Amino acid sequence: MPAPAGTKRVRGVQIYRPFIYGTEAIPFDPENRPKDAPPDHTHKWKVFVRGVNNEDISYWLRKVQFKLHDTYANSVRMIESPPFEVEETGWGEFEIAIKFYFVPDSTEKPQQIWHGLKLHPYYGDVEQQKRDRSMVTSVCYEEVLFNEPVEAFYDLLTGGAQVTKSKGGKGAKGAIKAPPTAEIPLKSSGANKFSKEEENKELDRLGEAVKQVQKLIAEEKTKLVEEEAKLQELEKTEGKPIKKK
Ligand code: SLL
């Protein structure tokens, strides 16, 4: 019997789509607190899910639910369209549950991840960042993997991301469709640090670290051989040590 319409899967195919998610937080300026913020709140923050280079991901991601700490009124926030983000103020850090709902054509079940909201600097020159009231970011790269997508979703994923450039400017003629891509950008730009360039730098760093570890292992081995030789010499002249019970 043929599979019912919309449930036939493209066998042997896996399609992944990259995205980034995370938080940004900035302490209030005591001289200029937001007027509507409760008195115990200390920071303004945002949690978001977006394309790696801010490209449109709504052709596969239908909506996103952010589950905040129970101390927040209406702690479950469903964001029905991009930008998939929630802006809030608060005083404490907590884990945010981020639930992804895929487009109906996908027939995929929702998936959930967790992310820790960071309000306080946690790496680098922490004291300086506190003095500067710098923005604290905690952003992760992730890929969602669609295993054997149903045909309609496969077409959607491979047929064209609905990227539209409607802003004026030279040569802009309404909507320009860009092909869908799972490629990360070649180079980092101000707002985006997830790129091939950074990936290669990380690979170089790992390569260097492996070399360093191999060097240390070789040094330790040489030391061990020397110590063993010394021990054998001593055993020859002094005899074997008597083992104590
Ligand atoms: C802690 N585990 O105890 C954390 C909880 C709660 C954060 C942090 C304010 C909510 C509101 C807020 O920042 N809650 O009152 O609107 O540190």
Side-chain angles (χ1 to χ4, degrees):
M1 206 167 63
T7 62
K8 194 154 174 262
R9 294 190 170 269
V10 185
R11 297 286 168 210
V13 167
Q14 288 188 322
I15 295 191
Y16 73 94
R17 284 292 174 266
F19 64 89
I20 56 172
Y21 65 98
T23 58
E24 285 173 355
I26 196 145
F28 291 159
D29 175 352
E31 309 296 315
N32 194 16
R33 286 173 54 90
K35 285 169 199 64
D36 49 352
D40 56 341
H41 286 198
T42 52
H43 290 70
K44 183 179 159 76
W45 58 262
K46 180 197 270 189
V47 56
F48 59 83
V49 172
R50 59 171 84 114
V52 173
N53 215 5
N54 210 15
E55 72 273 21
D56 183 21
I57 52 173
S58 64
Y59 70 100
W60 57 266
L61 186 59
R62 168 67 193 87
K63 56 185 183 180
V64 179
Q65 178 192 277
F66 297 93
K67 169 81 180 74
L68 311 184
H69 194 264
D70 288 335
T71 44
Y72 281 90
N74 310 316
S75 62
V76 180
R77 311 283 173 91
M78 183 66 96
I79 307 302
E80 302 272 353
S81 57
F84 298 116
E85 56 186 44
V86 170
E87 272 190 322
E88 263 298 349
T89 62
W91 51 263
E93 299 183 334
F94 58 92
E95 293 287 315
I96 302 174
I98 308 175
K99 198 165 179 179
F100 293 72
Y101 292 83
F102 304 106
V103 292
D105 269 351
S106 72
T107 73
E108 295 283 336
K109 289 197 191 83
Q111 288 186 28
Q112 182 169 282
I113 54 176
W114 290 85
H115 189 70
L117 165 65
K118 289 276 181 208
L119 298 184
H120 310 292
Y122 57 100
Y123 69 94
D125 191 340
V126 167
E127 293 309 317
Q128 186 63 43
Q129 292 174 61
K130 282 189 195 162
R131 279 193 292 277
D132 295 346
R133 285 202 292 273
S134 313
M135 180 185 274
V136 174
T137 57
S138 167
V139 181
C140 301
Y141 171 93
E142 191 48 278
E143 290 165 359
V144 59
L145 186 72
F146 301 112
N147 191 39
E148 303 198 328
V150 294
E151 282 173 342
F153 192 38
Y154 176 84
D155 290 345
L156 233 163
L157 287 169
T158 55
Q162 306 300 302
V163 175
T164 52
K165 286 187 183 162
S166 50
K167 295 235 171 77
K170 246 194 243 167
K173 277 186 198 151
I176 300 165
K177 268 192 188 173
T181 176
E183 292 297 324
I184 56 172
L186 283 178
K187 287 199 172 288
S188 303
S189 59
N192 173 46
K193 58 179 166 56
F194 298 99
S195 64
K196 289 270 176 221
E197 189 185 22
E198 282 305 313
E199 208 170 64
N200 288 335
K201 277 190 205 163
E202 181 69 4
L203 285 173
D204 289 347
R205 281 193 288 270
L206 286 171
E208 279 308 313
V210 168
K211 270 191 214 155
Q212 183 65 18
V213 168
Q214 279 166 346
K215 192 173 149 237
L216 290 175
I217 291 173
E219 281 170 13
E220 289 302 317
K221 269 192 186 154
T222 315
K223 261 192 229 163
L224 188 66
V225 169
E226 281 168 12
E227 295 295 325
E228 293 271 5
K230 259 191 222 161
L231 186 65
Q232 277 186 8
E233 268 315 300
L234 278 174
E235 280 179 0
K236 261 189 225 156
T237 55
E238 311 292 323
K240 280 191 190 290
I242 301 153
K243 273 191 190 137
K244 281 188 192 142
K245 273 197 183 162

